[in-house]
Amino acid sequence: QVQLQESGPGLVKPSETLSLTCTVSGGSVGSGTYYWNWIRQPPGKGLEWIGYVYSSGSTKYNPSLQSRVTISADTSKDRFSLRLSSVTAADTAVYYCARESWGSGWRGLDVWGRGTTVTVSS
Amino acid sequence: EIVLTQSPATLSLSPGERATLSCRASQSISSYLAWYQQKPGQAPRLLIYDASTRAAVIPARFSGSGSGTDFTLTISSLEPEDFAVYYCQQRSTWPLTFGGGTKVEIK
């Protein structure tokens, strides 16, 4: 059974870079028809898709964040990472990693990490 | 960007009642719609994908319908564990987007 686990600093200073890692256990980042996503949820609000890295290494980002976001995968360690630069208080949120599956067609975001809270504050 | 509008924002019902949640897309998304359940302090959980296919181990009381721009999630008979927030999500066009959520609360 595939499991995802986010890790990284819980506190980031304004204007600095937020860096998170999602470790995949029970599965492989570099194989299969899977998209590895980052999604965030500000306190008391809804979900916002940040972007994904595909098993081939290609990426896609939300245009609203594209200038500040980098998502990459380390297939040797079965993990993928998020970097968000020039953060402000508006980037304070719970950050989730999630797997999107394409088997015989789209199968949704079927595996999620528990989420990690990141607060942007000096 | 495709906007998903969920209604109502809050649904107050009693256990055993039927819940009907709506999600409307700003343009056609075919059947590229999923529904998720989120409880406080937890990650979202996939319930339905492709508008009407139940994900693994999801009880049969959850059903989805619709295509194009109008979609519905129905919970046939609410169990105590079903009181939560529900989100729809589209995968037709980038960026992927979520609806604002419907909170199903105990009346």
Side-chain angles (χ1 to χ4, degrees), chain A residues 4-70:
Chain A
L4 307 182
Q5 177 68 59
E6 304 90 348
S7 60
L11 180 65
V12 181
K13 289 182 168 55
S15 80
E16 295 189 344
T17 296
L18 178 161
S19 295
L20 297 174
T21 295
C22 182
T23 301
V24 179
S25 57
S28 174
V29 168
S31 63
T33 49
Y34 300 116
Y35 294 78
W36 303 94
N37 292 260
W38 286 100
I39 293 155
R40 69 180 183 179
Q41 186 170 36
K45 297 189 177 180
L47 300 162
E48 180 182 31
W49 176 72
I50 299 170
Y52 67 60
V53 57
Y54 184 48
S55 52
S56 67
S58 62
T59 56
K60 197 82 172 178
Y61 304 132
N62 192 322
S64 67
L65 299 168
Q66 185 157 358
S67 63
R68 299 193 291 131
V69 172
T70 303

Side-chain angles (χ1 to χ4, degrees), chain B residues 59-81:
Chain B
R61 63 180 182 273
F62 291 93
S63 63
S65 64
S67 67
T69 60
D70 290 301
F71 301 86
T72 301
L73 174 69
T74 302
I75 310 171
S76 59
S77 179
L78 283 164
E79 296 288 339
E81 62 267 27

